[in-house]
Amino acid sequence: MKTRVTEMLGIRYPIVQGGLARVAYAELAAAVSNAGGLGQINTASLLDPEALRAEIRRCQALTSLPFGVNFPINRHDLNPLLDVALEEGVRVIALTAGNPAPYLRRCEGHAVHTLVLTAGPELAKKAEAAGAHMVATVGFEGGGHIGRSDETTMVMVPRVVDAVKIPVLASGGIADGRGLLAALALGAEGVEMGTRFVATIEARAHENYKQALAAAAPDGTMLIKRSMGMPGRTLRSPFAEHIVAREAAGAEKAELLELVAGRVNALGTDEGRLEESFVWAGQCVGLIHDVPPAGEVIRRMVAEAEAGIARLRGIG
């Protein structure tokens, strides 16, 4: 499975684990990288530069293979954290949810590849013009924060591929080898997956969260924060329903910000109190039925994609 993404990143398979706030730490990132993909460490819950440095070094002790660090923009001052990642020789810097240009410039001159998460061709072209080495584009099916349009991955990916010259990763609704094969057929050169990697042994998420993903039906997700201009897909829960009801009622921004605060999300991700919080999840939950090691997810995906290729050759 050689693509420009595998060659650029020095990985065996074009499978990238998403940033996964409060979930993706050294254990998960190393497990994904050791299995041939690219793991990432989140920084949404690692605000202290020295804590990030320690997490990077723990990952380096667990794998000799490339891994990345994911930076959500506009949450806090990224520069001290980004400096640490560059000092520690991290091979991939991923940027999401904001203007990546200042941080891409900061990466110039370092032996690092940059990935920018986008939603649609316009943002992908801006990322390319700002110097990104590759983009991931996430469709309406995705978990967590998605674009403001309702454009699906099936439609968005080929439009982004046509719009830029740099490699494109497909994201949103992908959880197995069939999704990987479909993404490659659409012109993407790999995939970025979040929800599927939450439901793995190495993910630092509460077992209730993992098991809820494995038990959920495709209609078991919903969108919150539409009225705030920052739509995000979550598992359906009484609390998520309450958020949407308050949005529909025209609640003040201050009230909504309290309802969607990170500490509320942490009640579910960290403590498993799913009915009292919201947790991110994509529509691909309908394809998730267990909680295996992350390496097993990648091995299955590769086998399924290879079987799909053989089936298509038989059709031809």
Side-chain angles (χ1 to χ4, degrees), residues 191-214:
V191 297
E192 184 187 65
M193 302 194 308
T195 306
R196 172 66 270 196
F197 282 121
V198 176
T200 59
I201 289 173
E202 295 88 352
R204 196 181 297 180
H206 196 278
E207 191 64 22
N208 290 351
Y209 182 10
K210 297 180 185 182
Q211 293 301 328
L213 294 176

Side-chain angles (χ1 to χ4, degrees), residues 232-285:
R233 186 174 298 282
T234 72
L235 272 182
R236 191 174 299 277
S237 72
F239 194 87
E241 297 278 9
H242 174 64
I243 294 171
V244 172
R246 295 306 299 147
E247 290 186 79
E252 295 289 332
K253 184 177 180 181
E255 177 188 347
L256 294 176
L257 287 173
E258 284 294 314
L259 293 174
V260 301
R263 64 179 178 277
V264 180
N265 176 226
L267 291 177
T269 59
D270 300 0
E271 300 180 30
R273 296 158 60 182
L274 302 184
E275 294 193 355
E276 306 168 50
S277 65
F278 64 93
V279 290
W280 303 118
Q283 289 182 333
C284 68
V285 290

Side-chain angles (χ1 to χ4, degrees), residues 9 16-22 24-30 32-33 37-60 63 65-73 76-97 100 103-104 107 111-117 134 192:
L9 302 184
V16 176
Q17 166 233 311
L20 302 177
R22 278 180 285 279
Y25 294 88
E27 294 86 357
L28 178 59
V32 172
S33 292
L38 183 85
Q40 294 193 76
I41 295 171
N42 95 93
T43 59
S45 47
L46 285 170
L47 306 184
D48 175 30
E50 292 310 310
L52 176 59
R53 190 187 307 277
E55 200 67 27
I56 290 170
R57 291 182 177 180
R58 284 206 315 122
C59 196
Q60 290 169 335
T63 183
L65 296 169
F67 63 90
V69 175
N70 184 280
F71 295 88
I73 302 168
H76 44 264
D77 183 7
L78 292 187
N79 289 313
L81 298 170
L82 184 56
D83 287 345
V84 165
L86 295 174
E87 289 166 9
E88 294 298 321
V90 169
R91 303 274 286 279
V92 181
I93 299 295
L95 299 161
T96 181
Y103 308 106
L104 292 171
C107 291
V112 67
H113 292 292
T114 52
L115 165 65
V116 175
L117 186 65
M134 68 193 84
E192 184 187 65

